[in-house]
């Protein structure tokens, strides 16, 4: 029997699709990578009975990167990254073993149906999956078609079955456009980022950013924010004057009138008009006009509009909004949330979609009224040819979704109902007056029919005081005429909604990438998000943009990136050659990079005026091993040590505290050791500042502390303090923390596992265990606090083998300050000698026994 492999983009999608296609009768099991499940069932394909296997990836299978040696910032000229540096596809998340997982599941399969998201990124992932599985699939006979692509926009029975009945092929051109964008962003971004980061971080100590990044989309995005900041700073308020007149008739409330001339910028001229107006005590009605007007219902909802409203009205950032929208989509509550289309196709089931919302108490009345009276034809928007507009796909309650999920879902539902409702209609009344020779007027609105504003009340016509009944020739009494002084106001900082509008207008990013670019400029400390979701540029962001304007304005203006986006779209449409677009764009930016490199002094002048030289920053902490003077600890990101005598800077671990480690020195270079700690409940380890940046041994990498150092005899090294392989991750070694007494602990040098043991012991030393080749631990307790049997104060044993130690050991996970510090990772498995970290000799039964005692 033949087998059909089906692959979705996320595990939750795979489960939902399999449930629909199998009609709930599939069996499920975990895949070998532990992250993806496989759902199996029997069904029909091409008129034959076949076995189906539905599984998923977790986003991109592969990512683009430079080959190994070109990832070394110190040894590679950034200019080489434009052409000489070869790139390669690497697994996006090596821990998931996604390629191996896909190959195991695809082995022997005859057909593949790709259920990846239906956008350009999804098409790119299709070919990543095919590259992994085609070598192990059953070879087709003759020209038999074996690769199929499902196109769908929502996770509903109707849409999934319709997609299964109309399978197509993956789009190679769209995939290539993504490949081109990835390579351009990698080469251009890395070249500029490496150069300016190394140049400025080596000179200034208070930049407060670990990475001074450049991005072809990110930088113009920042440019918009700084442009608005510059307008605010350069704004000079001007004083102007307006005439304010109040009139009344009988016992009616007085009316405040607007001056037809609006304002004047000369006080004496304004006073002249006031004097003229005051010559009359009567205001004569010159005309009364009444016009029926309509406030249009909204267009169908696309991604950009959803992001705008979520930011301005719901207070949700663009990236957070997309995460919520994707979750609602995978759970089947809304249609695909990435679309540029705001027009419903003629065959879109508007009535069926509306019926699903008829029982929700929040809008049931409006929905039932529409169903009985008939739906209004939606406004005609733009069809981008991608996905239908964002619409609700099934009913939900606040209890089901909760929090931000419900708030976004509620808006999407209300927006959809509004698109098929009537326009809001109101009567606008305008009364024109003359006082002496000057013209004045007042106007007001009276609601006729609320239309769509019944479900979107925040867009409704505000209730105003009723206008007086009058006609041409009526006379009102003048109560007051006065000259009011006012000032022009500067524009406000851009909100996220404003920025999204500008990015869409200038073609910066896509509906999928806009949230990422906005998040990036915030994460890089280029802007801060103020109240009202306003984006205020930091000093660093301002100086960078001004520097780009001084050197090469096109680096920050949206024009060049907009042109590149158009070329990428032509690749997707099959109208432009992938290699030609790639090479042409890289040639342009390579020339720009060389000019930027030669002109960096002009940007440096701005930096010098805004930031402190590195030698004048920080406080003395530890001694340099070369000149033996004190080096200064610079706490601002990225934290580092700087020796003014040698004019050298040394990297340090981030996201923790640094202090001097007992004035002890590294035996290799005489640098004083420092201690890094993530807090009282976290890990800590000593390190040599020089070795941290310049690994002394071949089996060490940059960024390793003493707990990973393979020095054969140093008292601080892995060889001296390593105890055994980590009980959780594959690569780590549990290392004694000699600074942790009297609450002793050993911590994994790769992940966040910590083992607490021998509390109140006043000395703990490491030896060798002959039984399991882990390390012996010698413990010395005080007589009054010894937990050892028979009142003994000293004991030497193995934490894996010795029963005396079993009740004195407790497993915990270190408190980390940063999400990047997760468990696992690293390549080396431990020190040399003493059997530490030799995975093949780990006694599994004893490790399991030890784990059983951990709390």
């Amino acid at each position: 029997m033949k087998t059909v492999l089906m692959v979705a983009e996320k595990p939750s999608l795979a489960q939902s699709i399999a449930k629909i296609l199998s009609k709930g009768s599939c069996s499920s099991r975990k895949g070998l990578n532990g992250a993806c499940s496989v759902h199996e069932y029997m069904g029909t394909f091409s008129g034959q009975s076949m076995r189906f296997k539905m599984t998923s990836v977790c986003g991109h299978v592969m990512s683009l990167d430079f080959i190994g040696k070109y990832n070394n910032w110190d040894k590679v000229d950034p200019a080489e990254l434009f052409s000489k540096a070869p790139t390669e596809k690497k697994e996006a998340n090596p821990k998931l073993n996604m390629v191996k997982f896909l190959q195991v599941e695809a082995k022997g399969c005859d057909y593949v149906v790709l259920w990846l998201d239906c956008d350009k990124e999804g098409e790119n992932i299709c070919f990543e999956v095919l590259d992994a599985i085609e070598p192990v699939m059953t070879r087709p006979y003759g020209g038999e078609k074996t690769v199929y692509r499902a196109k769908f926009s929502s996770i509903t029975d109707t849409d999934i079955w319709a997609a299964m009945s109309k399978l197509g092929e993956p789009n190679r051109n769209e995939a290539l456009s993504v490949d081109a964008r990835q390579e351009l962003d990698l080469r251009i971004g890395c070249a500029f980022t490496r150069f300016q980061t190394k140049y400025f971080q080596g000179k200034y100590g208070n930049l407060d950013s670990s990475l001074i990044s450049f991005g072809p989309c990110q930088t113009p995005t920042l440019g918009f924010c700084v442009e608005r900041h510059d307008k605010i700073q350069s704004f000079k308020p001007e004083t102007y004057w307006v005439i304010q007149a109040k009139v009344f008739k009988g016992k009616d409330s007085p009316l405040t009138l607007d001056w037809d001339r609006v304002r004047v910028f000369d006080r004496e001229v304004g006073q002249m008009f006031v004097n003229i107006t005051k010559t009359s005590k009567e205001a004569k009605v010159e005309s009364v006009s009444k016009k029926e007007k309509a406030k249009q219902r909204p267009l169908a909802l696309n991604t950009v509009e959803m992001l705008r409203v979520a930011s301005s009205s719901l207070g949700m950032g663009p990236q957070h909004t997309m995460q919520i929208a994707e979750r609602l989509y995978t759970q089947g509550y809304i249609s695909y949330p990435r679309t540029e289309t705001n027009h419903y196709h003629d065959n879109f089931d508007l009535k069926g979609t509306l019926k699903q919302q008829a029982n929700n108490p929040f809008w049931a009345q409006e929905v039932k009224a529409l169903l009985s009276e008939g739906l209004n034809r939606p406004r005609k928007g733009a069809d981008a040819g991608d996905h239908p507009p964002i619409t609700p796909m099934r009913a939900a309650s606040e209890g089901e979704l909760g929090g931000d999920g419900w708030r976004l879902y509620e808006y999407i539902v209300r927006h959809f109902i509004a698109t098929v409702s009537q326009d809001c209609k109101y009567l606008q009344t305008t009364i024109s007056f003359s006082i002496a020779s000057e013209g004045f007027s007042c106007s007001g609105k009276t609601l006729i029919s609320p239309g769509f504003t019944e479900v979107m009340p925040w867009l409704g016509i505000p209730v105003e005081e009723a206008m007086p009944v009058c006609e041409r020739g009526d006379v009102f009494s003048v109560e007051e005429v006065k000259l009011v002084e006012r000032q022009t106001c500067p524009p406000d900082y851009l909100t996220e909604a404003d920025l999204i509008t500008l990015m869409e207008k200038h073609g910066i990013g896509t509906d999928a990438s806009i949230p990422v670019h906005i998040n990036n400029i915030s994460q890089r400390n280029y802007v801060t998000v103020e109240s009202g979701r306003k984006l205020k540029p930091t000093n660093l962001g301002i100086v960078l943009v001004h520097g780009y304007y001084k050197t090469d304005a096109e680096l920050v203006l949206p024009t060049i990136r907009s042109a590149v986006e158009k070329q990428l779209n032509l690749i997707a449409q099959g109208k432009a050659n992938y290699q030609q677009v790639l090479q042409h764009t890289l040639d342009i930016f390579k020339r720009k990079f060389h000019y930027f490199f030669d002109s960096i002094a002009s940007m440096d002048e701005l930096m010098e005026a805004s930031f402190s030289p590195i030698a004048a920053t920080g406080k003395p902490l530890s001694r340099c091993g070369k000149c033996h003077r004190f080096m200064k600890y610079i706490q601002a990101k990225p934290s580092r040590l700087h020796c003014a005598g040698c004019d050298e800077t040394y990297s340090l671990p981030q996201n923790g505290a640094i202090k001097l480690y007992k004035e002890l020195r590294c035996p290799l270079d005489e640098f004083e050791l420092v201690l890094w700690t993530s807090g009282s409940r976290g890990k800590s380890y000593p390190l040599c500042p020089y070795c941290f940046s310049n690994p002394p041994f071949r089996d060490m990498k940059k960024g390793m502390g003493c707990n990973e150092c393979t020095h054969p005899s140093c008292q601080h090294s892995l060889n001296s303090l390593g105890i055994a392989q980590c009980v959780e991750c594959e690569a780590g070694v549990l290392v004694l923390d000699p600074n942790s007494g009297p609450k002793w602990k050993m911590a994994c040098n790769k992940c966040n596992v910590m083992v607490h043991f021998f509390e109140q012991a006043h000395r703990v030393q490491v030896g060798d265990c002959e039984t399991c080749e882990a390390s012996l631990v010698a413990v010395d307790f005080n007589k009054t606090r010894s937990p050892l049997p028979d009142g003994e104060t000293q004991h030497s044993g193995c934490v894996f083998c010795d029963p005396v130690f079993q009740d004195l050991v407790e497993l915990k996970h270190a408190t980390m300050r940063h999400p990047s510090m997760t468990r696992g990772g690293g390549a080396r498995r431990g020190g040399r000698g003493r059997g530490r970290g030799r995975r093949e000799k780990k006694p599994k039964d004893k490790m399991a026994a030890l784990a059983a005692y951990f709390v």
Side-chain angles (χ1 to χ4, degrees):
M1 180 178 290
K2 291 186 175 181
T3 303
V4 180
L5 177 69
M6 302 199 293
V7 184
E9 191 155 321
K10 293 176 184 173
S12 54
L13 273 179
Q15 183 179 9
S16 300
I17 295 169
K19 189 176 179 181
I20 292 169
L21 294 177
S22 68
K23 298 178 181 175
S25 63
C26 62
S27 61
S28 302
R29 59 180 170 83
K30 276 285 182 187
L32 66 84
N33 65 0
C36 304
S37 295
V38 183
H39 312 280
E40 298 175 294
Y41 63 95
M42 299 301 296
T44 304
F45 188 78
S46 297
Q48 301 178 49
S49 180
M50 294 191 191
R51 175 180 169 231
F52 285 80
K53 289 205 296 185
M54 180 83 199
T55 189
S56 74
V57 291
C58 296
H60 274 282
V61 179
M62 311 299 286
S63 63
L64 189 70
D65 201 358
F66 297 111
I67 63 169
K69 74 173 188 176
Y70 285 93
N71 283 315
N72 188 321
W73 285 37
D74 297 322
K75 295 181 180 179
V76 176
D77 179 355
E80 293 182 27
L81 302 181
F82 285 98
S83 53
K84 289 185 181 179
T87 58
E88 62 179 343
K89 290 272 190 177
K90 299 177 181 177
E91 282 205 51
N93 190 341
K95 292 180 189 176
L96 290 178
N97 287 317
M98 192 60 72
V99 172
K100 185 179 179 182
F101 163 71
L102 289 171
Q103 288 176 342
V104 167
E105 297 302 332
K107 192 171 183 179
C109 288
D110 302 277
Y111 305 97
V112 61
V113 180
L114 300 160
W115 290 85
L116 285 308
D117 285 353
C118 299
D119 55 15
K120 292 171 187 172
E121 295 289 336
E123 297 302 325
N124 190 261
I125 299 172
C126 282
F127 287 94
E128 292 176 355
V129 171
L130 291 175
D131 288 342
I133 66 173
E134 281 188 321
V136 300
M137 288 179 63
T138 302
R139 290 181 179 274
Y141 294 104
E144 184 185 12
K145 183 179 176 181
T146 59
V147 176
Y148 296 88
R149 175 74 162 110
K151 295 277 185 163
F152 58 103
S153 296
S154 64
I155 315 301
T156 60
D157 291 22
T158 304
D159 211 6
I160 295 302
W161 278 110
M164 193 66 184
S165 65
K166 297 177 184 177
L167 296 174
E169 295 180 6
N171 189 319
R172 172 70 71 176
N173 289 327
E174 288 191 358
L176 282 173
S177 74
V178 174
D179 283 338
R181 179 181 281 108
Q182 286 178 351
E183 187 163 349
L184 289 174
D185 289 350
L186 176 71
R187 291 186 182 277
I188 297 167
C190 284
F192 279 91
T193 297
R194 289 186 191 184
F195 170 63
Q196 64 187 26
T197 298
K198 288 192 70 180
Y199 186 89
F200 292 121
Q201 281 187 354
K203 292 190 71 174
Y204 304 103
N206 58 340
L207 296 175
D208 201 25
S209 180
S210 55
L211 195 71
I212 305 175
S213 64
F214 174 93
C217 287
Q218 171 195 297
T219 305
T221 301
L222 174 62
F224 291 131
C225 300
V226 175
E227 183 184 16
R228 175 60 62 88
H229 168 83
D230 291 343
K231 285 181 180 177
I232 294 169
Q233 295 301 307
S234 62
F235 183 82
K236 291 181 181 178
E238 286 188 83
T239 304
Y240 65 91
W241 287 264
V242 299
I243 295 178
Q244 195 176 81
K246 286 186 178 180
V247 299
F248 67 95
K249 185 180 181 183
K251 295 181 179 179
D252 291 343
S253 299
L255 287 175
T256 300
L257 306 183
D258 297 319
W259 189 25
D260 287 356
R261 297 183 192 270
V262 184
R263 61 185 180 181
V264 292
F265 287 88
D266 188 315
R267 191 182 190 286
E268 290 184 3
V269 173
Q271 189 61 51
M272 177 192 73
F273 284 120
V274 168
N275 295 338
I276 292 171
T277 307
K278 282 185 173 180
T279 59
S280 174
K281 296 293 183 183
E282 293 182 345
K284 185 180 178 183
V285 176
E286 297 292 339
S287 66
V288 178
S289 68
K290 294 187 178 184
K291 289 183 181 178
E292 187 176 309
K293 293 191 173 183
K295 190 173 188 177
Q296 283 192 313
R297 60 201 180 280
L299 290 165
L301 186 63
N302 63 12
T303 306
V304 169
E305 182 62 19
M306 179 183 71
L307 294 176
R308 267 197 291 254
V309 173
S311 177
S312 61
S313 301
L314 304 181
M316 292 164 56
Q319 192 160 45
H320 178 59
T321 300
M322 283 310 301
Q323 289 168 350
I324 298 293
E326 284 172 7
R327 178 165 61 81
L328 292 174
Y329 162 65
T330 56
Q331 292 173 342
Y333 290 106
I334 65 171
S335 60
Y336 192 62
R338 290 194 176 105
T339 178
E340 297 176 16
T341 295
N342 57 6
H343 172 73
Y344 298 115
H345 288 285
D346 293 338
N347 59 355
F348 191 93
D349 187 7
L350 294 169
K351 195 168 186 178
T353 305
L354 191 63
K355 277 182 179 178
Q356 295 174 344
Q357 303 296 330
N359 296 319
N360 191 303
F362 288 99
W363 43 74
Q365 186 177 341
E366 290 84 356
V367 170
K368 287 174 181 175
L370 280 170
L371 290 171
S372 63
E373 296 168 12
L375 280 62
N376 190 23
R377 188 179 181 86
R379 289 170 59 197
K380 187 171 183 179
D383 184 357
D386 49 358
H387 286 273
I390 303 166
T391 52
M393 300 312 298
R394 63 186 173 101
S397 66
E398 188 172 0
E400 277 179 77
L401 304 180
D404 289 344
W406 166 255
R407 292 168 67 220
L408 186 60
Y409 174 81
E410 180 186 10
Y411 170 72
I412 291 168
V413 174
R414 288 184 181 276
H415 190 107
F416 168 72
I417 298 170
T419 62
V420 293
S421 300
Q422 297 291 329
D423 289 344
C424 171
K425 294 178 182 176
Y426 61 94
L427 184 69
Q428 180 161 306
T429 303
T430 302
I431 306 173
S432 296
F433 292 87
S434 63
I435 306 176
S437 60
E438 286 303 294
F440 295 84
S441 65
C442 65
S443 60
K445 297 171 184 175
T446 307
L447 186 65
I448 298 172
S449 169
F452 76 93
T453 63
E454 282 191 310
V455 286
M456 301 180 87
W458 61 90
L459 295 178
I461 303 298
V463 177
E464 297 177 351
E465 196 170 322
M467 298 289 287
V469 176
C470 60
E471 57 186 34
R472 189 173 185 272
D474 285 356
V475 175
F476 283 63
S477 300
V478 177
E479 182 181 272
E480 179 186 44
V481 175
K482 63 181 179 179
L483 190 65
V484 179
E485 182 180 309
R486 292 176 183 165
Q487 277 196 330
T488 55
C489 298
D492 211 339
Y493 282 102
L494 289 179
T495 62
E496 286 171 332
D498 297 331
L499 183 56
I500 290 165
T501 302
L502 285 170
M503 293 175 74
E504 183 191 31
K505 177 183 175 182
H506 292 281
I508 301 299
T510 62
D511 53 1
S513 66
I514 282 174
V516 177
H517 302 314
I518 296 175
N519 185 62
N520 281 345
I521 62 173
S522 179
Q523 293 291 315
R524 298 284 186 262
N525 195 34
Y526 294 160
V527 299
T528 57
V529 182
E530 307 288 318
S531 62
R533 309 298 302 179
K534 292 172 187 171
L535 300 169
K536 185 176 181 180
T538 63
N539 202 20
L540 178 58
I542 294 164
V543 171
L544 280 175
V545 169
H546 289 174
Y548 293 135
Y549 272 117
K550 280 189 77 173
T551 52
D552 182 354
E554 283 192 336
L555 292 175
V556 74
L557 290 172
T559 47
I560 193 164
R561 182 60 194 194
S562 179
V564 171
E565 288 290 344
K566 288 175 183 175
Q567 291 297 311
L568 294 174
N569 285 332
L570 290 176
I571 294 174
Q573 296 163 19
K575 297 177 181 178
N577 181 273
Y578 161 78
Q579 283 295 344
Q580 288 177 353
V581 169
L582 189 64
Q583 196 55 53
H584 176 67
T585 307
L586 287 174
D587 285 344
I588 291 172
F589 275 95
K590 186 178 181 179
R591 288 195 291 271
K592 288 185 173 296
F593 176 81
H594 284 296
Y595 183 77
F596 181 70
F597 182 92
D598 294 337
S599 310
I600 193 67
S602 59
M603 181 183 275
D604 195 25
E605 289 173 5
L606 298 175
M607 286 283 188
E608 199 170 24
S610 303
F611 300 102
S612 304
I614 197 166
T617 311
K619 57 183 180 180
L621 180 69
S622 64
R623 289 187 184 272
C624 171
K626 295 179 180 179
C627 67
H628 302 291
R629 294 179 182 175
F630 275 104
M631 297 188 293
K632 284 188 173 182
Y633 172 44
I634 299 163
Q635 208 163 355
K637 288 182 181 179
S639 57
R640 54 210 190 273
L641 286 168
H642 177 71
C643 177
C646 304
D647 194 23
E648 289 195 40
T649 304
Y650 300 97
S651 301
L652 292 172
Q654 303 299 302
N655 307 303
I658 294 285
K659 59 184 179 181
L660 189 63
Y661 186 57
K662 304 176 183 177
E663 297 186 0
L664 297 170
R665 294 177 181 268
C666 174
L668 295 172
D669 49 46
E670 287 295 302
F671 275 73
E672 280 189 334
L673 302 182
V674 295
L675 183 76
W676 177 87
T677 176
S678 63
S680 58
R681 296 172 60 192
K683 290 167 57 173
S684 63
Y685 58 83
L687 63 112
C688 165
Y690 186 82
C691 294
F692 191 80
S693 298
N694 304 277
F697 304 110
R698 286 186 179 180
D699 55 354
M700 289 181 65
K701 295 179 180 177
K702 248 186 180 184
M704 287 184 170
C706 296
N707 62 345
E708 296 182 82
C709 177
T710 53
H711 191 291
S713 59
C714 176
Q715 61 176 321
H716 317 293
S717 72
L718 174 63
N719 271 10
S720 299
L721 299 176
I723 293 175
Q725 184 171 340
C726 179
V727 296
E728 289 200 13
C729 74
E730 294 183 2
V733 177
L734 294 170
V735 182
L736 174 67
D737 182 349
N739 203 49
S740 60
K743 296 184 177 181
W744 297 94
K745 60 190 175 187
M746 55 180 176
C748 177
N749 59 7
K750 296 292 184 186
C751 72
N752 65 341
V753 164
M754 287 196 315
V755 177
H756 288 251
F757 53 11
F758 317 131
E759 189 169 341
Q760 301 304 328
H762 60 77
R763 186 169 70 249
V764 175
Q765 293 178 314
V766 180
D768 282 329
C769 176
E770 296 178 1
T771 307
C772 70
E773 293 198 24
S775 297
L776 288 178
V777 179
V779 189
D780 192 349
F781 285 96
N782 187 291
K783 276 186 180 182
T784 58
R785 295 187 174 184
S786 176
L788 299 175
D790 302 324
E792 291 183 10
T793 59
Q794 295 182 346
H795 188 80
S796 181
C798 173
V799 290
F800 298 94
C801 308
D802 197 320
V804 174
F805 283 162
Q806 288 180 349
D807 292 328
L808 306 179
V809 178
E810 181 182 17
L811 174 72
K812 288 189 176 181
H813 290 92
T815 302
M816 296 300 184
R817 294 193 180 184
H818 195 275
S820 65
M821 299 175 64
T822 51
R823 298 190 306 198
R828 195 169 56 80
R829 294 183 178 173
R832 296 173 293 186
R834 299 191 180 178
R836 279 176 222 119
R838 294 184 180 176
R839 183 167 175 80
E840 65 276 15
K841 293 188 179 180
K842 181 179 79 175
K844 293 184 181 177
D845 55 336
K846 292 184 179 178
M847 292 296 285
L850 176 64
Y853 280 93
F854 292 157
V855 178

